[in-house]
Amino acid sequence: MMPDNRLSAELVPGAETTPVSALAWHRQAIKQRLLDGATAAEVMATLTEFVDGLVRDRYQSAMKQAGEGAQVAGAQHCCLVALGGYGQRELAPYSDIDIMFLYSEEAGEAAPILFREVLHHLWNLGFQVGHSMRTTKDCVELAGQDLSIRTAMMTARFLAGSPNLFQKFHRLYAKEVIGRGVGRFIEQKKEERQREYIKFGQTIYLLEPNVKKSKGGLRDYHLLRWVGMARFQAATIQDLADRSLLSRQDFLSVTEARDFLWRVRAFLHVGAGMAQEILSFDEQVRIAALYGFEDRSHLLGVEQFMQQYYRHTTGLHETLLRFVDRCQAASGKRPRAVSGVMVDGHFSVSGRSLTVPSELRARVLDSPELLLRLFELARSRRLKIASDLLDEIHSHMDRVSSEAFRTPEASRVFLKILSGPGAVAATLDAMHRAHLLEKLIPVFAALRGLMQFNQYHKYTVDEHTLLAVGKAEALAMEPGIMGVVYQEIRRKDLLHLAILLHDLGKGRKEDHCEVGKVIAEETAARLGFDQQESRTLMFLVHKHLLMSHTAFRRDPYDEKVLLPFAQEVVTPEVLRMLLILTAADIAAVGPGVLTKWKESLLVELYLRTLRTISGEQDDKMAGPNSLKRLTREVAQEFKTLMVGGLGWIESQLDRFPLRYLHGTPPKRIAAQLEAIAKLQAGDVLVEGNFNEELGTCEFTVITHDNLTPGIFSKTAGVMAAQGLEIFDAQIITRNDGVVVNTFQASDPDFSGAPPVERLDDTAETIIGVLKGLESVEQLRSRKIRFSSASQASAERHASEVVIDNKISDQFTVIDVFADDTQGLLYIITHAIFRLGLSVQSARISTRLDDDIQQSLRTGGRHEVVDVFYVTDQHGEKIEDQGRLEEIRWTIKQDIDRFMNPQVDAPENVSSGSAL
């Protein structure tokens, strides 16, 4: 690439310009040229030429200053060599530079003097310099000992001094190093890159990737180039293409990705004023605007930009994998079998490798049915399809219409792949990488690399859906209910297809669930489904958020919740599929998102619904003897014989609401009754435990409701001040005034179980606040855990409060949508307390993604929804519309003031509604 002469002309320093100021001007000019549309290749070439000039000028100056002997040594026995990225002329605006001082023994004492002068000058200019001083013999020896040194010198470029010495080094290095041990070198570089993947991200679809070292980044390009140099002595990617060692399609994929990443990296550098490789959320938004991407109604500009980023990095990474496989096969690392066992007349199996003989390839490539049978054979026998064959399939797919795959036989084989058992997700992923999957489900092509710009989703839409299929398969190995349910599903092809389709409606302005329903209908027609199969697939895709919405935000023991849900699901088989789809969808959002607690809520709703739709009656509390039966079960869990025996236990149980008796295990009931038996007026009993099964901290508060107003609110305030994150609460106030509140929380300060002292300290602090020994406000100021939300984020979304008075006969339900912030629960519950309301139950910190918000028609992008079932002071629903609006507005105003303490909430802006 020729340097940009315009840019060079702009940077010719005047007589009074120092090299330091010239470098600063140069970088500023680079920034402007990038903004004006220059390519990264242009500015890199210009920067490299500028740095070369500085180095050469200083070398010449050092020789003159050192005297005649040094001049001779510098011209005949020494030279400066650029290595690494500098050697390749790929300097980003703030890149380090790597220089080697090559010398022969004849240089004598002049060599270190000359090198020191050049090196100190570069340091004084502000460069970060990687440096070494070696003889040609040193170079060869060190290359055999250190992989990084060997690799850096492969891109050596002459700068100044003796060209003859450099040529001698270059010839010897090519002969003794580059041409030897190629197979071992390639394997070592692969292992080195794998270690970088582990450190910098093992998926291409990182939310904030490192453009240089994450998977699909520039280091993948470098590895492809290094492997090509070692195996084929090809100096450049262009050389590989010219010699047909890289297909034209792969060459274009690699060079377009390289140029895109170069430019993004340059923007990162000039934006930060330093070497910056992380493409953070803020930088994604900034650079997307620089590329000219604008927000659309259904797709943010940054999402369009990152879709382009992921498409480039995916193409680069996949090309690297195929190329390295071919190079290793050529090196003898993976010898090709002369012949294999023929299967089905078209496929050859040798060991664990699957291929198609060359004389049959054209026939297989032109037959959608045979191509699908190839992938099904690989899946069923756990074989690996040969890389060169995958290359051909990938290239061939651009010339094949999706209509060619619309045949009964193609559909039959595809459904067989989806049925499993085993390796369904891996096979679908291979089909997606080969661009084959989009021939069966055309919309997949448009969603390739489509990111979801939020803190919830960790993967692009296509990656998420494929990962979700894998998560569903993994559930088969679960020892609990999830594993049993997965195994019981008869039509696993329908299940896996629904998971594959569930998010494909994204990227359009309409509700993705509605779009997904249409996609499911079209797919069912393509595959020749009957009416029942089509209806099931459409329901699962259309309603894939229904179960999480119900389990995480509503009370499954309320018949007005349970019956409508059961009526939607209809059959046990569909219920089983919906449970697995929901769990897999959540698990595929990101690591650790499907917690054991969330899983337990889903299972609870599943079991309650299964009884309803299968015709079984949950009559634990329905018959006259049911309370007595529960009494006996609870009595068996007591550690010691209770005074009053069964009669006392039954009288205590009779004071609890039905939902508590339905939803609380007998063992827990027994423990809480033992605590109630010891309870005296003015007492507060708080027990803190770590639930190993759920991986959560559990705090149970038992007291009398007349102890202090706002028990729930004050407890939430203490736990927030202690740094705990509450995600569920069971609020029980018996008809005799006994309060039994149970909180599930995580403790971010500890991984796994926190120390007993930590649990005890929190319990004692709750007791102290409820007894009035200290206020929540005093505790907050002492703990300094939270004071306002302004520290957490500069960009906050207005909260929304929605009141639903139809979903429950007994309670008014308040949904609060807001950004997740330490202390938010206390602010909400304190507002509810001041309004004179009583919280009967709650669902706390249910994390939202854009899917759920879209389905709920909320107006903003929020992180969580907190749900409260409340009554007035008399235990009744609130019916008065004016009072409902007062409640809604007061809660919203308090949240907005907490989130933005410097801004008063407006007084006539409505957000949310009372239903």
Side-chain angles (χ1 to χ4, degrees):
M1 174 67 67
M2 293 297 293
D4 187 319
N5 293 325
R6 257 194 314 150
L7 184 54
S8 299
E10 292 171 3
L11 295 165
V12 175
E16 299 181 1
T17 302
T18 66
V20 175
S21 61
L23 177 60
W25 289 345
H26 203 96
R27 283 172 169 161
Q28 185 59 39
I30 282 175
K31 180 178 181 179
Q32 188 56 53
R33 289 285 290 121
L34 283 169
L35 294 174
D36 290 343
T39 67
E42 290 172 343
V43 298
M44 285 194 304
T46 303
L47 179 58
T48 300
E49 182 186 45
F50 175 73
V51 175
D52 285 354
L54 291 176
V55 172
R56 289 168 180 147
D57 289 348
R58 189 59 182 175
Y59 187 75
Q60 294 297 328
S61 176
M63 285 197 302
K64 290 178 182 178
Q65 293 174 7
E68 184 176 343
Q71 290 182 33
V72 173
Q76 298 180 9
H77 306 300
C78 304
C79 68
L80 285 175
V81 180
L83 302 178
Y86 181 32
Q88 284 292 122
R89 294 185 171 87
E90 293 177 7
L91 281 182
Y94 288 86
S95 287
D96 299 348
I97 58 176
D98 193 357
I99 293 181
M100 180 175 70
F101 191 87
L102 187 66
Y103 69 101
S104 62
E105 297 296 340
E106 291 84 353
E109 296 180 357
I113 295 173
L114 291 173
F115 190 37
R116 185 166 55 247
E117 285 296 316
V118 173
L119 195 58
H120 284 188
H121 181 62
L122 292 174
W123 282 338
N124 291 335
L125 291 176
F127 285 107
Q128 296 291 321
V129 185
H131 57 91
S132 56
M133 186 172 175
R134 299 166 185 152
T135 64
T136 298
K137 181 181 177 182
D138 292 336
C139 292
V140 173
E141 290 180 353
L142 287 170
Q145 301 168 13
D146 189 295
L147 185 65
S148 296
I149 292 175
R150 172 175 176 161
T151 307
M153 288 191 291
M154 289 171 67
T155 58
R157 178 171 62 86
F158 176 75
L159 287 173
S162 169
N164 291 331
L165 179 63
F166 178 79
Q167 288 300 326
K168 178 183 175 182
F169 152 78
H170 194 266
R171 286 193 298 270
L172 186 64
Y173 196 80
K175 177 183 177 182
E176 298 294 328
V177 178
I178 297 178
R180 294 189 176 181
V182 173
R184 177 62 180 153
F185 171 76
I186 294 174
E187 190 62 32
Q188 287 179 323
K189 293 305 292 184
K190 273 185 63 180
E191 292 171 356
E192 179 185 66
R193 188 70 182 115
Q194 285 296 331
R195 291 192 293 272
E196 287 182 332
Y197 292 154
I198 293 171
K199 184 175 181 180
F200 294 98
Q202 298 192 66
T203 175
I204 290 169
Y205 305 105
L206 290 175
L207 287 176
E208 296 182 303
N210 182 308
V211 297
K212 184 177 181 181
K213 294 189 176 180
S214 291
K215 184 176 285 189
L218 283 167
R219 190 63 87 213
D220 275 5
Y221 162 70
H222 296 151
L223 178 56
L224 190 152
R225 189 179 62 200
W226 292 328
V227 170
M229 292 175 70
R231 169 50 48 207
F232 302 113
Q233 294 75 52
T236 66
I237 299 296
Q238 184 68 59
D239 288 344
L240 290 172
D242 290 345
R243 293 161 58 184
S244 299
L245 298 169
L246 201 62
S247 70
R248 174 169 176 76
Q249 184 179 17
D250 281 347
F251 173 72
L252 290 176
S253 177
V254 169
T255 53
E256 287 173 3
R258 177 201 64 190
D259 294 347
F260 178 83
L261 289 170
W262 274 350
R263 195 158 190 259
V264 169
R265 188 182 185 212
F267 275 131
L268 287 173
H269 278 218
V270 298
M274 58 185 289
Q276 172 61 270
E277 315 297 345
I278 304 297
L279 188 55
S280 66
F281 286 127
D282 289 343
E283 286 298 279
Q284 290 170 27
V285 173
R286 182 180 71 87
I287 296 175
L290 293 175
Y291 269 83
F293 290 105
E294 297 180 352
D295 290 350
R296 303 175 190 166
S297 59
H298 60 292
L299 206 59
L300 297 175
V302 66
E303 291 173 334
Q304 299 168 54
F305 165 70
M306 289 304 293
Q307 183 176 28
Q308 189 173 113
Y309 177 91
Y310 292 132
R311 283 180 171 176
H312 281 308
T313 52
T314 299
L316 173 57
H317 182 68
E318 290 176 356
T319 301
L320 167 70
L321 294 180
R322 293 192 300 269
F323 182 73
V324 170
D325 273 352
R326 289 200 302 273
C327 289
Q328 287 193 304
S331 71
K333 180 71 180 179
R334 295 179 182 174
R336 296 186 182 185
V338 176
S339 62
V341 177
M342 292 301 293
V343 178
D344 291 346
H346 294 88
F347 313 117
S348 175
V349 177
S350 177
R352 306 312 302 166
S353 179
L354 174 63
T355 190
V356 174
S358 56
E359 66 273 15
L360 298 175
R361 287 204 173 182
R363 183 186 307 172
V364 172
L365 289 172
D366 287 336
S367 169
E369 294 81 6
L370 288 175
L371 282 173
L372 288 168
R373 282 167 57 190
L374 171 74
F375 282 92
E376 164 55 14
L377 182 61
R379 184 207 63 76
S380 62
R381 297 197 182 185
R382 307 298 192 269
L383 302 174
K384 182 178 180 181
I385 301 174
S387 298
D388 63 322
L389 177 56
L390 285 174
D391 278 354
E392 288 193 54
I393 295 171
H394 178 252
S395 299
H396 187 72
M397 283 302 100
D398 289 341
R399 302 190 293 274
V400 179
S401 165
S402 62
E403 286 302 306
F405 283 77
R406 195 165 185 167
T407 68
E409 177 61 15
S411 297
R412 185 192 68 79
V413 181
F414 182 45
L415 291 176
K416 190 175 180 182
I417 291 171
L418 289 168
S419 295
V424 176
T427 305
L428 293 174
D429 183 60
M431 292 167 63
H432 182 45
R433 286 188 283 110
H435 290 215
L436 180 77
L437 186 57
E438 63 202 49
K439 302 304 176 182
L440 293 150
I441 306 174
V443 71
F444 238 94
L447 294 173
R448 186 181 295 275
L450 178 62
M451 79 168 296
Q452 302 170 78
F453 192 69
N454 55 56
Q455 293 281 359
Y456 185 70
H457 279 282
K458 309 300 181 189
Y459 306 108
T460 58
V461 174
D462 53 336
E463 179 84 350
H464 165 74
T465 56
L466 292 166
L467 185 59
V469 176
K471 294 293 184 183
E473 288 187 279
L475 290 174
M477 308 306 294
E478 290 286 323
I481 290 178
M482 287 289 187
V484 173
V485 170
Y486 181 86
Q487 296 289 0
E488 288 178 347
I489 293 171
R490 295 187 297 274
R491 290 293 304 273
K492 292 187 176 63
D493 54 344
L494 266 179
L495 168 67
H496 295 146
L497 181 59
I499 296 173
L500 192 63
L501 299 180
H502 80 277
D503 266 356
L504 299 194
K506 289 188 172 180
R508 307 190 196 184
K509 61 183 179 181
E510 300 87 2
D511 182 340
H512 85 284
C513 294
E514 299 296 332
V515 177
K517 181 181 179 182
V518 175
I519 293 171
E521 185 176 21
E522 293 171 349
T523 303
R526 285 181 66 93
L527 297 176
F529 282 3
D530 62 28
Q531 188 176 19
Q532 182 58 45
E533 292 169 330
S534 300
R535 188 161 48 241
T536 299
L537 182 66
M538 290 165 63
F539 171 80
L540 290 170
V541 175
H542 185 218
K543 299 292 185 177
H544 71 270
L545 298 173
L546 176 64
M547 195 166 197
S548 59
H549 173 88
T550 306
F552 299 157
R553 297 184 54 233
R554 294 294 180 252
D555 181 1
Y557 291 92
D558 190 323
E559 292 300 311
K560 291 193 71 173
V561 171
L562 187 62
L563 290 178
F565 177 74
Q567 288 166 0
E568 290 249 40
V569 176
V570 181
T571 70
E573 176 76 353
V574 173
L575 177 63
R576 293 184 190 101
M577 289 184 180
L578 186 59
L579 173 64
I580 299 302
L581 189 159
T582 303
D585 184 19
I586 297 170
V589 165
V593 177
L594 181 63
T595 62
K596 290 181 179 179
W597 176 250
K598 287 180 181 176
E599 187 175 315
S600 72
L601 293 177
L602 292 172
V603 169
E604 179 184 46
L605 177 59
Y606 166 78
L607 292 174
R608 291 277 295 145
T609 309
L610 184 61
R611 294 188 188 101
T612 301
I613 62 180
S614 63
E616 300 175 14
Q617 292 300 315
D618 182 12
D619 60 354
K620 179 182 285 187
M621 303 310 300
N625 297 319
S626 56
L627 187 58
K628 294 186 183 297
R629 188 184 313 118
L630 179 60
T631 298
R632 289 193 296 271
E633 292 174 3
V634 171
Q636 292 174 1
E637 301 292 344
F638 273 94
K639 298 176 182 176
T640 59
L641 184 64
M642 296 300 298
V643 176
L646 294 177
W648 182 85
I649 295 174
E650 184 174 345
S651 67
Q652 292 296 314
L653 294 179
D654 196 42
R655 290 188 168 97
F656 281 99
L658 287 178
R659 63 179 306 276
Y660 173 85
L661 302 179
H662 276 296
T664 310
K667 185 174 182 177
R668 182 180 292 179
I669 293 175
Q672 293 174 356
L673 289 184
E674 285 183 327
I676 291 171
K678 304 172 186 175
L679 190 66
Q680 301 294 321
D683 279 353
V684 182
L685 304 176
V686 180
E687 184 179 19
N689 294 297
F690 183 75
N691 189 317
E692 294 284 352
E693 183 180 357
L694 298 179
T696 64
C697 298
E698 184 176 286
F699 292 88
T700 300
V701 179
I702 299 177
T703 187
H704 291 100
D705 62 352
N706 60 3
L707 175 73
T708 182
I711 292 172
F712 180 35
S713 173
K714 291 174 180 177
T715 305
V718 171
M719 295 179 72
Q722 292 283 101
L724 297 171
E725 297 177 357
I726 302 170
F727 54 82
D728 198 72
Q730 184 182 63
I731 312 303
I732 299 294
T733 302
R734 301 196 322 182
N735 54 18
D736 62 350
V738 172
V739 171
V740 182
N741 291 347
T742 303
F743 296 83
Q744 299 285 343
S746 62
D747 191 339
D749 291 347
F750 300 92
S751 58
V756 174
E757 296 79 12
R758 166 72 162 169
L759 297 171
D760 291 345
D761 177 60
T762 300
E764 289 298 324
T765 305
I766 293 172
I767 292 172
V769 168
L770 294 183
K771 286 189 171 184
L773 302 179
E774 185 176 26
S775 70
V776 173
E777 287 69 26
Q778 290 170 330
L779 180 66
R780 286 171 59 186
S781 61
R782 178 164 62 85
K783 292 287 186 178
I784 321 178
R785 279 287 190 172
F786 68 96
S787 56
S788 73
S790 58
Q791 312 168 31
S793 173
E795 184 179 354
R796 291 274 172 192
H797 305 102
S799 62
E800 296 185 55
V801 179
V802 178
I803 296 179
D804 189 339
N805 235 15
K806 298 177 181 178
I807 194 66
S808 174
D809 289 332
Q810 296 176 269
F811 309 111
T812 294
V813 181
I814 303 174
D815 292 318
V816 180
F817 301 86
D819 290 342
D820 195 13
T821 305
Q822 184 68 36
L824 174 64
L825 180 60
Y826 171 69
I827 297 302
I828 299 170
T829 55
H830 189 60
I832 291 173
F833 160 65
R834 289 190 297 103
L835 286 162
L837 304 177
S838 177
V839 178
Q840 303 299 321
S841 66
R843 285 284 192 266
I844 305 303
S845 294
T846 301
R847 187 163 291 276
L848 292 173
D849 68 348
D850 290 342
D851 307 353
I852 298 175
Q853 293 184 62
Q854 189 178 44
S855 71
L856 298 176
R857 307 297 195 271
T858 63
R861 291 182 173 230
H862 306 104
E863 294 183 6
V864 295
V865 55
D866 290 342
V867 184
F868 304 90
Y869 281 63
V870 304
T871 62
D872 62 18
Q873 293 175 332
H874 305 292
E876 302 293 333
K877 282 179 66 173
I878 299 92
E879 301 287 358
D880 181 74
Q881 287 297 315
R883 175 67 169 150
L884 290 171
E885 177 59 22
E886 177 194 5
I887 292 168
R888 188 200 66 77
W889 178 241
T890 299
I891 296 172
K892 174 177 168 50
Q893 189 178 50
D894 282 10
I895 296 170
D896 288 345
R897 283 176 175 167
F898 173 67
M899 293 292 191
N900 300 286
Q902 72 280 9
V903 179
D904 287 334
E907 296 186 359
N908 9 343
V909 177
S910 176
S911 179
S913 61
L915 302 178

